[in-house]
Amino acid sequence: NAGVMQNPRHLVRRRGQEARLRCSPMKGHSHVYWYRQLPEEGLKFMVYLQKENIIDESGMPKERFSAEFPKEGPSILRIQQVVRGDSAAYFCASSKGITEGTPVEQYFGPGTRLTVT
Amino acid sequence: QKEVEQDPGPLSVPEGAIVSLNCTYSNSAFQYFMWYRQYSRKGPELLMYTYSSGNKEDGRFTAQVDKSSKYISLFIRDSQPSDSATYLCAMSGPQAGTALIFGKGTTLSVSS
């Protein structure tokens, strides 16, 4: 029973390039959350999505960051024109929807460690 | 004042000790309280959650919530070297399935 899957696990980008991070939720989960963990900082919420819908993007930077969760395929977090300050660990979590059970429990993937050079 | 405060430690204890980890928070709307364990360079692992005030026990772990004091605790009994990790508290509002607000985590080291 596979858990939350994220790829790539490590990603190196030069300043100005684009970074694409992928997340496949646990089987039976329809909600996806993205969090960022900066060095010496706690986990910070970025965005919450259901299939084809962004529910809450209050934690997303206003520029260069976008997220989607298409009807088919994984959720994607896209960072355009990366800067050194984007270097961090990006974690995806998934939960059940309200109709599937309690959505309280969020299960995390192993993370993608982004390094911007 | 930060929404969730957690002493970063590090906390070092001998094997078999009882460990107490704590968080305080400022937002009285929080209703769901979670504890996660994170090993170095891994994703957070959900240990347990409680709703509103009260206690919850799962094996060697006990979570307590005191909403009147805005204070939550995680107790680990008979600590083991494998418990060495960073422990994160997290909270969310009254509606289930919303963003989690995390503390910065407490690093625990259990020596054999």
Side-chain angles (χ1 to χ4, degrees):
Chain A
N1 186 16
V4 178
M5 300 180 70
Q6 290 187 250
N7 67 80
R9 296 290 305 277
H10 300 273
L11 182 62
V12 179
R13 285 288 179 266
R14 290 198 187 97
R15 280 179 296 170
Q17 291 184 319
E18 178 179 285
R20 282 193 174 208
L21 289 62
R22 294 174 183 78
C23 169
S24 295
M26 280 180 70
K27 187 176 181 180
H29 287 189
S30 60
H31 293 198
V32 165
Y33 310 78
W34 285 94
Y35 293 82
R36 177 165 63 174
Q37 190 171 39
L38 290 163
E40 307 303 320
E41 293 287 327
L43 279 158
K44 302 290 186 190
F45 166 76
M46 299 181 75
V47 63
Y48 163 33
L49 310 103
Q50 296 175 17
K51 288 281 187 182
E52 300 184 286
N53 277 311
I54 296 175
I55 306 302
D56 179 0
E57 56 181 347
S58 59
M60 283 278 270
K62 293 287 185 283
E63 297 176 352
R64 301 187 299 107
F65 285 73
S66 62
E68 62 177 6
F69 190 13
K71 188 175 181 180
E72 300 291 337
S75 175
I76 307 276
L77 178 68
R78 183 184 300 141
I79 310 172
Q80 296 177 303
Q81 299 177 319
V82 295
V83 300
R84 288 223 172 103
D86 297 332
S87 295
Y90 291 82
F91 291 97
C92 168
S94 73
S95 73
K96 292 181 179 180
I98 290 176
T99 57
E100 300 148 357
T102 175
V104 175
E105 299 173 39
Q106 294 185 23
Y107 294 89
F108 281 77
T112 294
R113 277 160 182 81
L114 172 66
T115 301
V116 179
T117 62
Chain B
Q1 182 185 12
K2 293 193 175 183
E3 278 197 291
V4 180
E5 300 269 12
Q6 186 175 9
D7 186 337
L11 181 61
S12 296
V13 301
E15 184 175 358
I18 296 175
V19 176
S20 172
L21 304 164
N22 312 294
C23 289
T24 58
Y25 63 95
S26 58
N27 189 343
S28 57
F30 288 147
Q31 291 281 11
Y32 292 94
F33 303 91
M34 287 80 166
W35 286 96
Y36 284 84
R37 178 174 63 194
Q38 185 175 25
Y39 292 111
S40 181
R41 305 190 72 77
K42 302 288 186 184
E45 171 193 359
L46 179 64
L47 290 174
M48 55 202 306
Y49 80 90
T50 53
Y51 173 73
S52 195
S53 285
N55 295 357
K56 189 171 185 178
E57 187 173 322
D58 184 359
R60 296 184 296 111
F61 298 90
T62 299
Q64 287 185 352
V65 175
D66 181 349
K67 290 195 70 181
S68 62
S69 302
K70 297 190 178 69
Y71 188 88
I72 71 169
S73 301
L74 178 71
F75 297 95
I76 307 174
R77 291 183 299 280
D78 188 25
S79 56
Q80 303 295 310
S82 58
D83 295 328
S84 299
T86 297
Y87 289 80
L88 307 167
C89 63
M91 315 180 183
S92 67
Q95 187 174 359
T98 57
L100 294 177
I101 309 300
F102 280 85
K104 286 191 176 182
T106 299
T107 300
L108 171 67
S109 176
V110 181
S111 56
S112 56

